[in-house]
């Protein structure tokens, strides 16, 4: 395998499905991407499009009913590639948290209520091995302080004694316990209030800068992505339909679905903007429509879209890819946004 | 704000609501006064637990205030002895609430037709089941559920979140309410569907003259839905600022409103990364069991003046045309006299 030291994670053509009574849910369909060291990639898309399934598949913690039917997941440490799909259960346990830690979507409520924070941290550390109890304690106190908590107080607290924002910080501290190079955060700020959300966003930004891990964060909230992402990937019906630098996605989106999302979310400050809704609803992933999965809702759809599924191809630049046959027409409709692109690019250059 | 005056269709004066036993009593709503003019939208925003739902339930008559008054069409809803006033029934029909949790509020074992026709028949708003069916079809069309036949005999769990919210709105409309209290009506649905739902509710305002108390924790949604109305910002049980939406969004005066607007992430990378911050003195949200003295915000407030803010509770004072703020410093700077 070649040296990909600057790219800790690569995913190739990943397919994940759930077997349920009614049929097979194709939750992740042919996803490929890579994560560079120190970057944050936001995965956006609406409920049920497969974000969590993708995240969980990356550390192979899928439920029984799920199956990775195809694909490759590789973590790189220096010159060495780890083929995740061929790891045995014991190796997997060592791999998780060490190479890649995940903070789960529902984790805020998933703390064991009768265990003190310290016991939960110790359990995690034990499960993944390699440190003495004293080392764990020392590291835990360090990390709690690092996420701006009062370590002595928090480590002996029960979960219910902590606010949502404090619990989210504890989870972040725990995920850093074994110094992973990739961090997956599933909706890290969704359940939090605005002021708390702000402190977590600022904290994540600081952690990323100082520790330099790569971050994949999942969010249905465009504003969080605008804040935190270096790159954004839009997911629809199990596939990535567009991926590019954050300013490209917001100021010159090339996929009709990405554009639809942006037109549907107002900014808070500033003048009134009319919003445009996306008609229809996301497809059934058991029996998705033929062709482009977005075509039943897409204002740009043509005959070709109904029969053929577009593949990700580069547009605007090497780093921006989009899966749509009608990019040129979409581009025509983003001129107002592109003005803001110029402003942003100018601001960055200064 | 004189909520009892004829100027407002619905409103509240000094609403207080406590919960719990004598030993552990919490004041969920401490002092809330506001009025909504007919056909207008007032948005109630604030963080989790600040008392939005409790206020909404009191406005809709589902919860009795511990003290204070709710007014509907110029009359107090509860009479001085705390019993239901004479027009209580008219009030309860006139003010409908859409509950925060769409899963819990629709009976899972009833079809959409049954859910919708029950209030029509119960309140004798239709003569028979035939008329009921016609009216149900009309209402489902109004909220944009089409083709209607696809929905009539479905159960709530067979609908998507957005569709369920439309049914909740349609059900609220069965009794021809003048006021709808919408509690986080779009918070659970995806952005791609949210705008359609909001536009549908705005159409009800335009076409049927419905008045809204619209509760949300999402400032972007508040801005969009209440642009021509007002926003009331709540903090631990009280309204701290009340202003027209454009004023509140672009020129907030209360330090808490300022902090919220500065902190909220924006769906625009340039805007959100260049926003000025408001630094708070503390991140801790006070417990209802140990409320700070004086202004409830003083331990966190960047404007804090010792000897004033921690001693005296600021009143919600008028500082302009239908604009109010509850802050000693902000009110003084705006030239208000108490
Ligand atoms: N355990 C499961 N069994 C069967 N189907 C599942 C299971 N978990 C998820 N699915 C289905 O897989 C698809 C993708 O779900 P997933 O949770 O990955 O979406 P998501 O994008 O994370 O959504 P959300 O934003 O609501 O968290 C959905 O259609 C969902 O119904
Ligand atoms: N029936 C009740 N018994 C005891 N306490 C209650 C009751 N209902 C509400 N409370 C408390 O009153 C406070 C205000 O609750 P409320 O539901 O009004 O908040 P909210 O602003 O609607 O919050 P959210 O944004 O989370 O919906 C909270 O501290 C809550 O725990
Ligand atoms: S490929 Fe066609 S249907 Fe799909 S998003 Fe593009 S224009 Fe719309
Ligand atoms: Mg998810
Ligand atoms: Mg509530």
């Amino acid at each position: 395998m070649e040296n990909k030291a600057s790219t800790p994670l690569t995913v190739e053509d990943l397919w994940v499905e759930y077997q349920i009574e009614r049929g097979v849910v194709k939750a992740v369909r042919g996803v490929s991407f890579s994560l560079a060291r120190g970057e944050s990639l936001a995965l956006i898309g609406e409920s049920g499009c497969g974000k969590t399934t993708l995240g969980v598949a990356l550390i192979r913690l899928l439920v029984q009913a799920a199956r990775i039917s195809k694909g490759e997941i590789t973590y790189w440490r220096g010159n060495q590639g780890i083929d995740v799909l061929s790891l045995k259960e014991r190796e997997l346990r060592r791999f998780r948290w060490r190479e890649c830690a995940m903070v789960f979507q529902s984790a805020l409520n998933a703390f064991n209520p009768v265990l003190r924070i310290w016991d939960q941290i110790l359990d995690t550390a034990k499960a993944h091995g390699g440190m003495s109890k004293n080392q764990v304690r020392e590291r835990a106190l360090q990390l709690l302080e690092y996420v701006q908590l009062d370590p002595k107080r928090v480590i002996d607290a029960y979960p219910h004694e902590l606010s949502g924002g404090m619990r989210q910080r504890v989870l972040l501290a725990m995920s850093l316990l074994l110094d992973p190079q990739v961090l997956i955060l599933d909706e890290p700020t969704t359940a939090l209030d605005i002021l708390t959300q702000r402190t977590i966003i600022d904290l994540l930004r600081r952690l990323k800068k100082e520790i330099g891990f790569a971050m994949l964060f999942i969010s249905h909230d465009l504003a969080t992505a605008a804040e935190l992402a270096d790159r954004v990937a839009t997911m629809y019906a199990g596939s990535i339909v567009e991926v590019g630098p954050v300013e490209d996605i917001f100021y010159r989106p090339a996929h009709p679905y990405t554009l639809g999302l942006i037109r549907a979310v107002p900014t808070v400050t500033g003048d009134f903007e009319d919003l445009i809704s996306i008609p229809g609803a996301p497809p059934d992933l058991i029996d998705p429509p033929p062709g482009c999965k977005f075509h039943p809702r897409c204002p740009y759809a043509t005959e070709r879209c109904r029969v053929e599924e577009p593949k990700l191809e580069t547009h605007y630049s090497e780093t921006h890819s989009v899966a749509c046959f009608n990019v040129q027409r979409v581009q025509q409709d983003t001129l107002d946004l592109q003005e803001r692109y110029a402003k942003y690019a100018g601001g960055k250059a200064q | 704000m004189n909520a009892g005056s004829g100027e407002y269709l619905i409103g509240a004066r000094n609403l207080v609501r406590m919960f719990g036993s004598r030993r552990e009593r919490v004041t969920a709503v401490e002092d809330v006064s506001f009025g909504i003019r007919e056909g207008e939208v007032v948005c109630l925003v604030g963080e989790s637990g600040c008392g939005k739902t409790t206020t909404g339930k009191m406005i809709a008559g589902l919860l009795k205030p511990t003290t204070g008054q709710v007014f509907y069409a110029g009359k107090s809803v509860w009479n001085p002895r705390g019993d239901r006033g004479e027009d209580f029934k008219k009030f309860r029909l006139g003010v409908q609430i859409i509950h925060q949790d769409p899963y819990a509020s629709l009976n899972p074992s009833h079809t959409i037709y049954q859910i919708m026709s029950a209030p029509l028949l119960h309140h004798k708003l239709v003569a028979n089941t035939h008329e009921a069916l016609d009216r149900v079809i009309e209402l489902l069309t109004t909220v944009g559920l089409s083709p209607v036949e696809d929905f009539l005999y479905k159960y709530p769990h067979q609908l998507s979140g957005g569709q369920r919210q439309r049914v909740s709105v349609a059900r609220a409309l069965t009794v021809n309410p003048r006021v709808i209290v919408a509690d986080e009506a779009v918070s659970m649905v995806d952005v791609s569907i949210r705008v359609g739902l909001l536009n549908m509710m705005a159409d009800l305002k335009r076409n049927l003259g419905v008045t809204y108390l619209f509760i949300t924790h999402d400032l972007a949604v508040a801005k969009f839905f209440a642009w021509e109305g007002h926003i009331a910002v709540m903090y631990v049980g009280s309204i701290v600022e009340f202003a027209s939406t454009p004023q509140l969004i672009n020129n907030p005066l209360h330090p808490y409103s300022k902090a919220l607007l500065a902190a909220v992430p924006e769906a625009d990378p340039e805007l959100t990364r260049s926003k000025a911050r408001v630094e708070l003195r503390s991140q801790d949200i006070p417990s209802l069991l140990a409320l700070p003295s004086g202004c409830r915000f003083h331990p966190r407030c960047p404007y804090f003046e010792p000897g004033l803010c921690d001693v005296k509770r600021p009143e919600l004072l008028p500082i302009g045309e239908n604009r109010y703020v509850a802050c000693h410093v902000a009110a003084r700077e705006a030239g208000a006299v108490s």
Side-chain angles (χ1 to χ4, degrees):
Chain A
M1 285 191 242
E2 61 182 302
N3 178 351
K4 291 213 176 168
S6 62
T7 311
L9 167 65
T10 52
V11 178
E12 269 297 312
D13 196 25
L14 188 70
W15 294 71
V16 186
E17 53 192 40
Y18 293 96
Q19 182 72 54
I20 62 170
E21 221 171 287
R22 216 157 55 79
V24 177
V25 183
K26 299 166 200 81
V28 174
R29 302 169 42 255
V31 165
S32 305
F33 69 94
S34 60
L35 212 51
R37 189 171 306 289
E39 84 161 339
S40 63
L41 173 65
L43 199 59
I44 61 172
E46 60 203 303
S47 191
C49 72
K51 304 182 295 298
T52 297
T53 305
L54 173 59
V56 174
L58 297 180
I59 53 166
R60 282 191 51 201
L61 265 184
L62 290 161
V63 294
Q64 279 282 312
R67 189 171 80 93
I68 296 178
S69 54
K70 196 175 162 204
E72 266 175 52
I73 304 171
T74 316
Y75 284 83
W76 298 87
R77 196 157 263 241
N79 287 327
Q80 200 195 356
I82 304 168
D83 173 8
V84 177
L85 295 185
S86 67
L87 290 182
K88 303 273 178 308
E89 191 52 43
R90 250 195 64 201
E91 302 160 326
L92 257 180
R93 224 174 310 140
R94 274 188 69 81
F95 156 83
R96 285 182 205 130
W97 293 76
R98 232 163 244 291
E99 299 301 331
C100 177
M102 180 161 180
V103 176
F104 295 95
Q105 187 164 8
S106 48
L108 222 42
N109 307 312
F111 275 106
N112 186 336
V114 299
L115 286 187
R116 290 174 195 272
I117 298 301
W118 163 240
D119 297 313
Q120 323 227 3
I121 293 177
L122 192 60
D123 278 0
T124 307
K126 272 194 204 144
H128 302 280
M131 272 200 273
S132 74
K133 198 167 162 178
N134 280 338
Q135 280 172 323
V136 176
R137 181 133 187 137
E138 200 172 313
R139 174 109 178 112
L141 288 170
Q142 241 173 29
L143 285 168
L144 288 173
E145 175 145 27
Y146 192 53
V147 296
Q148 290 157 324
L149 289 168
D150 174 359
K152 297 247 156 52
R153 190 188 134 208
V154 168
I155 203 158
D156 291 319
Y158 288 100
H160 72 90
E161 295 170 328
L162 306 177
S163 71
M166 292 166 88
R167 268 180 286 166
Q168 190 61 271
R169 281 161 203 267
V170 171
L171 286 168
L172 283 172
M174 279 169 74
S175 70
L176 298 176
L177 203 60
L178 303 181
D179 195 18
Q181 45 170 354
V182 176
L183 199 56
I184 302 173
L185 306 168
D186 197 352
E187 307 280 1
T189 63
T190 303
L192 303 172
D193 280 317
I194 296 171
L195 297 177
T196 318
Q197 209 176 346
R198 164 57 54 200
T199 62
I200 298 293
I201 287 174
D202 291 346
L203 173 64
L204 281 172
R205 184 173 289 135
R206 199 188 98 219
L207 292 181
K208 199 194 86 177
K209 198 164 136 211
E210 293 177 5
I211 306 182
F213 49 69
M215 186 162 96
L216 174 67
F217 78 92
I218 296 171
S219 179
H220 66 266
D221 177 27
L222 266 66
T224 315
E227 271 280 348
L228 272 177
D230 300 316
R231 286 194 301 143
V232 178
T234 316
M235 207 167 166
Y236 189 78
S239 301
I240 290 178
V241 294
E242 181 164 14
V243 56
V246 63
E247 62 272 23
D248 272 35
I249 297 298
F250 279 88
Y251 302 135
R252 46 183 199 186
H255 194 283
Y257 178 61
T258 314
L259 178 60
L261 289 178
I262 287 164
R263 295 275 191 230
V265 177
T267 55
V268 177
T269 47
D271 263 342
F272 184 81
E273 328 157 50
D274 226 344
L275 302 181
I276 303 168
S277 72
I278 304 176
D284 179 0
L285 293 182
I286 293 180
D287 186 20
C292 172
K293 301 302 167 251
F294 189 57
H295 88 253
R297 308 174 73 186
C298 181
Y300 301 90
T302 50
E303 195 43 47
R304 187 177 179 198
C305 310
R306 286 181 258 283
V307 289
E308 193 183 334
E309 183 157 15
K311 292 200 168 51
L312 273 178
E313 278 170 30
T314 56
H315 185 71
Y316 286 119
S317 74
E318 275 306 302
T319 52
H320 188 164
S321 306
V322 51
C324 171
F325 297 123
N326 296 304
V327 171
Q328 262 66 27
R329 276 163 59 220
V330 179
Q331 190 176 339
Q332 284 305 308
D333 288 347
T334 58
L335 298 178
D336 59 319
L337 294 170
Q338 290 184 42
E339 280 170 27
R340 285 197 252 167
Y341 179 84
K343 195 170 149 212
Y344 182 85
K348 246 172 72 164
Q350 278 166 18
Chain B
M1 210 171 328
N2 183 4
S5 77
E7 190 184 338
Y8 302 105
L9 176 59
I10 190 151
R13 189 191 291 157
N14 303 123
L15 276 189
V16 175
R17 174 68 207 207
M18 300 183 183
F19 288 113
S21 62
R22 191 167 299 163
R23 266 211 0 260
E24 217 184 64
R25 219 162 153 74
V26 298
T27 308
V29 169
E30 194 169 33
D31 183 9
V32 162
S33 305
F34 65 94
I36 315 179
R37 300 193 177 100
E38 174 132 40
E40 203 201 28
V41 178
V42 166
C43 239
L44 211 51
V45 305
E47 296 179 275
S48 184
C50 71
K52 302 182 297 296
T53 295
T54 307
T55 301
K57 283 184 176 166
M58 286 192 281
I59 290 293
L62 299 182
L63 260 185
K64 195 161 134 184
T66 306
T67 61
Q69 282 166 306
V70 175
F71 294 96
Y72 177 61
K75 282 194 194 152
S76 176
V77 163
W78 305 92
N79 69 27
R81 295 210 332 273
D83 297 329
R84 297 173 166 196
E86 48 181 312
D87 290 337
F88 196 83
K89 213 172 148 200
K90 216 167 84 193
F91 157 68
R92 278 299 300 275
L93 283 182
V95 185
Q96 291 295 307
I97 188 164
I98 300 167
H99 288 284
Q100 185 160 5
D101 183 357
Y103 298 88
S105 67
L106 298 175
N107 186 331
S109 61
H110 285 181
T111 64
I112 304 310
Y113 168 71
Q114 286 171 320
I115 288 169
M116 300 270 304
S117 59
L120 288 170
L121 294 163
H122 176 80
H123 296 293
K124 305 207 168 48
L125 295 161
V126 292
N128 50 45
T129 54
H130 186 76
E131 270 185 30
L133 182 61
D134 284 349
R135 181 79 179 127
V136 170
I137 290 175
E138 189 185 329
L139 287 168
L140 291 177
T141 312
T142 306
V143 298
L145 285 173
S146 64
V148 172
E149 307 77 60
D150 285 3
F151 294 97
L152 279 174
Y153 303 108
K154 279 203 168 135
Y155 292 88
H157 74 265
Q158 293 171 309
L159 304 184
S160 72
Q163 291 167 342
R164 252 190 309 253
Q165 281 303 39
R166 284 175 194 264
V167 172
S168 302
V169 176
R171 186 184 54 178
L173 291 176
T174 52
V175 295
N176 307 312
R178 292 171 75 188
V179 180
I180 290 182
V181 176
D183 191 357
E184 305 280 6
V186 300
S187 307
M188 307 265 288
V189 302
D190 268 303
V191 286
S192 84
I193 299 167
R194 193 178 292 170
V195 178
L197 212 54
L198 288 168
N199 283 337
M200 180 271 287
M201 293 203 281
D203 284 343
L204 299 178
K205 178 163 67 89
R206 225 164 289 136
N207 303 332
L208 307 175
V210 173
T211 303
Y212 281 99
L213 177 61
F214 190 90
I215 298 172
T216 180
H217 65 274
D218 185 332
L219 292 171
V221 167
K223 172 198 180 184
F224 179 68
F225 193 70
W227 186 250
E228 287 160 1
H230 289 78
I231 292 182
V233 182
M234 277 187 87
Y235 185 72
V236 271
S238 305
I239 292 179
V240 295
E241 182 162 4
F242 185 97
S244 74
T245 300
Q247 278 182 331
L248 194 113
I249 291 287
N250 292 314
N251 183 26
L253 294 181
H254 195 284
Y256 177 66
S257 318
K258 282 183 193 263
L260 278 185
L261 281 154
V264 69
E266 302 271 12
D268 178 325
E270 204 261 335
L271 177 63
T272 203
R273 292 173 195 207
S274 61
K275 260 182 151 180
R277 294 283 149 74
V278 172
E279 292 296 332
L280 295 182
R281 297 193 302 132
S282 146
Q283 298 299 341
D284 295 340
I285 301 159
S287 151
L288 291 183
L289 291 169
L291 284 175
S293 61
C295 173
R296 303 312 187 206
F297 190 55
H298 90 253
R300 308 175 72 186
C301 182
Y303 289 4
F304 172 63
E305 289 185 10
L308 175 63
C309 303
D310 50 350
V311 176
K312 192 171 167 228
R313 272 208 78 192
E315 274 176 75
L316 191 63
L317 292 178
I319 52 161
E321 162 61 19
N322 217 358
R323 177 156 205 191
Y324 301 80
V325 69
C327 164
H328 297 301
V329 179
R332 187 173 66 217
E333 281 174 6
V337 272
S338 54

